[in-house]
Amino acid sequence: MNPNFLQTPIAYLKGVGPSRADVLKAELGIETYRDLLHLFPNRYLDRTSYYKINQLQPSGADVQVVGKIIHLKMVEQKRGKRLVATFVDETGQMELVWFRGHKWIKESLKINEPYVVFGRVSQYGSTFSIPHPEMELLHKHQQGLKIAMQPIFPSTEKLSASGITNRVVSKMVQQLLLESKGYFPESLSKDILEELRLIPKAEALFNIHFPKNQELLARAQFRLKFEELFFVQMQLISKKMLRKQKIKGLPFENVGEHFTTFFENHLPFELTEAQKRVIKEIRNDMGSNAQMNRLLQGDVGSGKTIVALMCMLLAIDNGFQACLMAPTEILATQHYNGLKELLVNMDIKIALLTGSTKKSERTLLHNQLENGNLNILVGTHAILEDKVQFHNLGLAIVDEQHRFGVAQRSKLWHKSSPKGGGAPPHILVMTATPIPRTLAMSLYGDLDVSVIDELPPGRKPITTVHRFDNNRLKVFGFLKEEIKKGRQVYIVYPLIQESEAMDYKDLMDGYESIARDFPQPEYQISIVHGQMKPADKDYEMERFVKGETQIMVATTVIEVGVNVPNASVMIIESAERFGLSQLHQLRGRVGRGAEQSFCILMTGHKLSEDAKTRLQTMTSTNDGFEIAEVDLKLRGPGDLMGTQQSGLLTLKIADIVKDNQILQTARYHVLQLLKNDPKLEKEENAPVLRAFTRMMAQKTIWNYIS
Ligand code: ADP
Ligand code: MG
């Protein structure tokens, strides 16, 4: 067998040809024999069971019925003609209907002979019918019972319009399997096959397309899912090992003066155990010879900023600069102000760089960065511009990483430090969007992960309730009471790109009605949204931060990071339109002070099932990880990570949520394998090496992010 057999262009397969090949490529991305082989059926029709007519349900399912045609007639209506057959078995009667091809069908049908009919049942009045059924004479059907379960392949409208029906695709795959003579080299080692009792590759590929029975289908699915996840993990883990070996890190050996002074004299509170543990993990990591590439997860309010600061002090103690990048100007500014205050009595130079930093300031800042006079740079993605050059960047921290794209993050890698001989800086990525373990393992399998799983002491859990719009007056009454107690309030409106104009109108209408109900001078209201000039936004934000206004009306721009401890009520308008992680982020803006905080989710009465689940989850838990798990189940991994990254998760057969158990098994086996045979040199691992090498060369596994 030609080893490149599977690389053959699909046009060469019997029954395909150039024009069908074009359609296959355009519609399903199928270019080679291998692509077709990996076009797995979406579902299977079980043709092993038969239904009686009196058992039929209008369920839209495909069923198989044995019976006879006792009568044929043409029915003419305004909309056209149809051929109707009365079909009976011993339990009752039904209709078979054809809207096209009458003449040919009428001639070929035999009256009073037993048929097996197959198709989707619908119901008109009290009569069941199957339009355009597949028909086979019973005796022929009994002779040809080779395929027990019929595969249904993915399809598109264009595909069927070009005559590439499910039957045609089935034929193509059959042809391919025939020509291949079952030559599909094994890609897993014998040990693994035996230990997990996996069926051989060739058998799995046959049975995934044309299962002999339910059991073999299940085993074929398991084997192929395992294999897919195995090689994804293999890529992630070997990448991590390579990085640890090859990429020299900047050794932060000293815990020096700045770190110690800050810890002993300026730390405004006692660190939580979780914060201490995480700092230690990071310190060990940066002290080793390898470059750190770490994800720091911690729920909103868990205190990631102070951890970031202490890590930056470590960098400075070792003679390096550090930077902290945040996704919005508001957040960057808040970080800058917060850090400056913490560092007030220390000899450390810190600066802020955002899109609105003035040119003259910028020039000065660039100079200070390059000559090493600046220790810490806080900023937005303005930091990534090529003009921004460091003297010796040792640590780059990214806050709220889910807001940044892949390309942006990789740019940080290349802000290398001449002093470290061109070694990339250590990277710490912080996120308050907890990533469920399974997903973290798959997406970030090559990062190290630290988790702050404890909130600072004295926090009162936020009370969350769901209220309908017609209770608004009551809600406003509650707000007035809270404001009387000296508290501040956020009122947040959705802003979805597709309906931006409408959303702004809602926001403005909402603002006007709030202004009516909360009249000046007793009440002062701030408003912040994306269409305002940055300076105006900052001005309004400042007034709220200083407590000059009691109510902040805003779109989701305040979602990340903003910290106003005196704000204790969060109202979310049209809460059904927000995703779970966004609701959780928004809620995290309150509950930062000593007071009891509240989150009120406002909606109308019309709610989808998913929306109900989201609201119910929010009112029942404050735990970000629990919420993330529900979110993952509701939305699937692609959406959860945002569209930018969803492409990473285009698995062919496995499902990261549903096949979590298989994922864990696969990861375990990869770790074992690489421990025992890191370079895959052993004879028994040759199949793995061959398959892996090919996948890497063809980039058929995910193209990983960082
Ligand atoms: P996040 O993890 O959401 O970024 P922050 O770093 O903004 O959280 O911290 C939230 C608030 O908790 C801040 O006001 C911070 O000063 C405070 N904080 C952080 N750590 C502690 C601690 N160990 N004890 C008391 N307060 C803390
Ligand atoms: Mg934060």
Side-chain angles (χ1 to χ4, degrees):
M1 170 69 58
N2 173 2
N4 293 326
F5 171 74
L6 288 176
Q7 287 305 105
T8 315
I10 197 67
Y12 291 103
L13 189 70
K14 201 177 145 207
V16 180
S19 65
R20 280 184 166 176
D22 288 345
V23 183
L24 284 171
K25 182 179 173 193
E27 294 298 302
L28 297 173
I30 293 175
E31 295 183 55
T32 62
Y33 283 14
R34 184 191 313 283
D35 296 337
L36 182 62
L37 189 65
H38 289 101
L39 179 73
F40 298 140
N42 284 335
R43 59 197 176 93
Y44 304 83
L45 302 176
D46 189 351
R47 302 202 60 169
T48 54
S49 32
Y50 298 86
Y51 287 82
K52 298 288 176 205
I53 290 174
N54 68 356
Q55 295 174 322
L56 295 180
Q57 301 281 337
S59 65
D62 288 271
V63 297
Q64 197 164 232
V65 184
V66 183
K68 292 176 189 171
I69 295 174
I70 53 166
H71 184 69
L72 263 176
K73 64 177 175 204
M74 291 298 294
V75 179
E76 273 197 61
Q77 274 184 332
K78 256 184 267 158
R79 277 183 289 156
K81 282 200 249 182
R82 65 180 194 269
L83 175 65
V84 178
T86 308
F87 188 74
V88 301
D89 69 2
E90 68 275 19
T91 70
Q93 79 173 50
M94 65 183 293
E95 290 182 347
L96 310 175
V97 186
W98 291 267
F99 301 95
R100 298 179 300 275
H102 308 144
K103 188 167 175 292
W104 176 78
I105 291 164
K106 203 172 168 183
E107 282 165 13
S108 66
L109 288 178
K110 296 192 164 52
I111 305 283
N112 273 326
E113 292 226 24
Y115 271 104
V116 178
V117 306
F118 180 75
R120 188 158 296 185
V121 182
S122 44
Q123 190 179 21
Y124 292 100
S126 59
T127 314
F128 287 110
S129 69
I130 300 182
H132 291 269
E134 280 184 36
M135 307 279 299
E136 200 173 20
L137 284 166
L138 181 62
H139 70 271
K140 282 213 176 135
H141 179 80
Q142 283 161 340
Q143 285 160 12
L145 246 191
K146 271 170 256 126
I147 300 165
M149 294 169 74
Q150 185 178 316
I152 305 294
F153 291 93
S155 184
T156 67
E157 249 169 62
K158 270 218 182 106
L159 218 54
S160 12
S162 326
I164 309 182
T165 59
N166 194 59
R167 191 186 281 239
V168 171
V169 176
S170 279
K171 282 250 164 66
M172 289 176 184
V173 178
Q174 255 167 351
Q175 179 64 25
L176 175 59
L177 291 171
L178 197 74
E179 283 184 29
S180 74
K181 302 194 179 71
Y183 178 79
F184 300 121
E186 188 49 68
S187 49
L188 295 171
S189 72
K190 234 172 137 186
D191 282 356
I192 292 178
L193 290 176
E194 276 170 15
E195 193 178 332
L196 294 171
R197 296 187 51 248
L198 299 175
I199 57 174
K201 176 119 175 177
E203 203 182 334
L205 285 171
F206 273 100
N207 278 287
I208 200 74
H209 292 294
F210 304 105
K212 291 210 185 74
N213 53 46
Q214 294 278 1
E215 195 210 332
L216 273 168
L217 172 61
R219 297 190 67 183
Q221 284 171 330
F222 184 85
R223 145 92 214 206
L224 294 170
K225 285 176 178 181
F226 176 86
E227 177 172 342
E228 183 168 47
L229 294 168
F230 180 89
F231 283 106
V232 168
Q233 287 298 315
M234 183 102 168
Q235 190 194 21
L236 292 172
I237 294 169
S238 60
K239 191 164 174 176
K240 176 168 168 178
M241 284 168 70
L242 255 178
R243 177 166 54 74
K244 296 233 150 161
Q245 285 159 13
K246 289 247 174 79
I247 303 178
K248 210 169 68 71
L250 307 163
F252 288 6
E253 281 145 359
N254 311 321
V255 177
E257 193 198 319
H258 292 104
F259 186 93
T260 317
T261 313
F262 181 79
F263 186 79
E264 284 171 2
N265 303 330
H266 303 303
L267 198 59
F269 37 67
E270 176 110 15
L271 293 177
T272 62
E273 287 309 312
Q275 285 170 320
K276 284 186 206 159
R277 187 191 69 239
V278 163
I279 290 172
K280 205 185 229 168
E281 282 167 5
I282 296 170
R283 212 169 84 185
N284 287 342
D285 214 357
M286 296 194 300
S288 75
N289 285 321
Q291 182 228 11
M292 175 174 80
N293 207 4
R294 188 172 280 274
L295 178 69
L296 172 57
Q297 294 195 45
D299 214 340
V300 273
S302 61
K304 292 183 292 294
T305 317
I306 200 81
V307 171
L309 173 61
M310 299 198 60
C311 295
M312 292 197 282
L313 294 178
L314 277 172
I316 295 167
D317 279 342
N318 286 275
F320 289 96
Q321 294 168 306
C323 71
L324 171 60
M325 189 166 81
T328 64
E329 191 150 342
I330 292 177
L331 190 52
T333 310
Q334 200 163 53
H335 269 320
Y336 169 72
N337 292 332
L339 295 179
K340 211 167 64 173
E341 202 179 303
L342 285 166
L343 295 173
V344 70
N345 291 315
M346 291 183 65
D347 182 24
I348 285 177
K349 295 227 175 52
I350 175 169
L352 175 68
L353 176 66
T354 69
S356 46
T357 306
K358 289 197 193 71
K359 191 148 184 293
S360 54
E361 251 175 89
R362 235 170 232 255
T363 317
L364 190 72
L365 210 145
H366 287 170
N367 285 336
Q368 289 179 325
L369 266 186
E370 274 177 63
N371 64 28
N373 281 342
L374 202 60
N375 304 110
I376 295 177
L377 180 65
V378 180
T380 54
H381 43 258
I383 292 183
L384 295 175
E385 285 168 24
D386 292 333
K387 276 177 290 184
V388 181
Q389 292 292 332
F390 290 82
H391 176 63
N392 57 0
L393 181 65
L395 170 65
I397 302 181
V398 184
D399 196 16
E400 311 294 355
Q401 58 83 34
H402 66 289
R403 289 302 185 97
F404 288 101
V406 175
Q408 289 176 314
R409 262 181 291 148
S410 82
K411 263 194 160 179
L412 273 181
W413 270 68
H414 302 291
K415 297 246 169 236
S416 60
S417 118
K419 187 187 164 196
H426 294 295
I427 308 260
L428 181 67
V429 160
M430 306 199 292
T431 177
T433 307
I435 302 165
R437 230 177 87 77
T438 36
L439 196 56
M441 209 186 263
S442 321
L443 265 184
Y444 298 105
D446 80 329
L447 297 189
D448 295 299
V449 179
S450 289
V451 182
I452 306 184
D453 49 7
E454 180 189 355
L455 291 180
R459 296 267 171 87
K460 292 204 182 74
I462 301 161
T463 303
T464 304
V465 294
H466 171 205
R467 292 285 179 265
F468 291 107
D469 289 337
N470 52 2
N471 280 322
R472 187 172 307 277
L473 279 184
K474 255 192 173 159
V475 171
F476 279 1
F478 173 73
L479 292 189
K480 285 179 180 161
E481 283 169 32
E482 289 297 302
I483 292 171
K484 211 176 271 165
K485 291 186 207 156
R487 310 284 129 73
Q488 287 166 285
V489 175
Y490 292 103
I491 303 179
V492 176
Y493 285 80
L495 182 59
I496 317 285
Q497 253 152 16
E498 300 89 67
S499 50
E500 199 172 302
M502 266 314 282
D503 285 344
Y504 273 117
K505 189 175 172 305
D506 287 350
L507 173 75
M508 285 329 207
D509 290 352
Y511 175 74
E512 272 166 31
S513 91
I514 293 161
R516 262 198 313 276
D517 273 284
F518 296 86
Q520 289 186 340
E522 192 181 353
Y523 300 100
Q524 299 291 329
I525 307 174
S526 286
I527 180 164
V528 170
H529 59 76
Q531 290 189 339
M532 291 164 68
K533 290 202 193 85
D536 296 341
K537 256 195 275 186
D538 287 352
Y539 173 75
E540 288 289 318
M541 202 63 223
E542 266 316 302
R543 294 210 307 149
F544 188 68
V545 173
K546 286 191 196 138
E548 292 169 12
T549 58
Q550 298 97 352
I551 300 174
M552 163 63 78
V553 179
T555 55
T556 45
V557 289
I558 56 141
E559 180 188 343
V560 280
V562 176
N563 191 17
V564 181
N566 189 50
S568 64
V569 185
M570 165 68 61
I571 311 262
I572 304 177
E573 294 287 346
S574 306
E576 76 278 9
R577 293 178 60 195
F578 290 88
L580 259 180
S581 78
Q582 224 179 357
L583 289 173
H584 182 62
Q585 285 287 322
L586 284 169
R587 178 168 63 181
R589 296 308 109 218
V590 296
R592 299 186 153 238
E595 311 306 330
Q596 172 63 54
S597 293
F598 301 89
C599 174
I600 303 173
L601 307 169
M602 304 293 300
T603 74
H605 282 278
K606 237 169 114 186
L607 294 171
S608 69
E609 281 310 307
D610 275 11
K612 282 181 200 159
T613 307
R614 290 196 296 271
L615 295 165
Q616 207 256 324
T617 306
M618 286 297 293
T619 52
S620 64
T621 181
N622 274 304
D623 181 336
F625 280 90
E626 212 178 309
I627 290 168
E629 293 286 352
V630 178
D631 205 18
L632 182 60
K633 290 208 181 90
L634 285 181
R635 292 206 287 163
D639 279 349
L640 191 62
M641 300 311 295
T643 42
Q644 279 168 326
Q645 291 166 24
S646 58
L648 298 167
L649 286 157
T650 47
L651 293 170
K652 285 222 163 63
I653 184 163
D655 177 316
I656 285 190
V657 182
K658 294 194 193 112
D659 300 320
N660 172 13
Q661 207 57 46
I662 307 179
L663 173 68
Q664 313 251 3
T665 313
R667 185 173 173 87
Y668 168 81
H669 281 278
V670 171
L671 286 169
Q672 288 298 311
L673 179 69
L674 290 176
K675 197 170 97 190
N676 297 327
D677 185 12
K679 291 187 178 155
L680 301 178
E681 288 163 329
K682 294 192 180 152
E683 179 58 32
E684 68 249 35
N685 294 326
V688 180
L689 179 63
R690 197 174 40 228
F692 190 54
T693 312
R694 186 186 55 72
M695 287 181 215
M696 293 301 278
Q698 297 181 337
K699 296 216 170 71
T700 48
I701 320 188
W702 311 336
N703 218 343
Y704 182 58
I705 345 173
S706 76

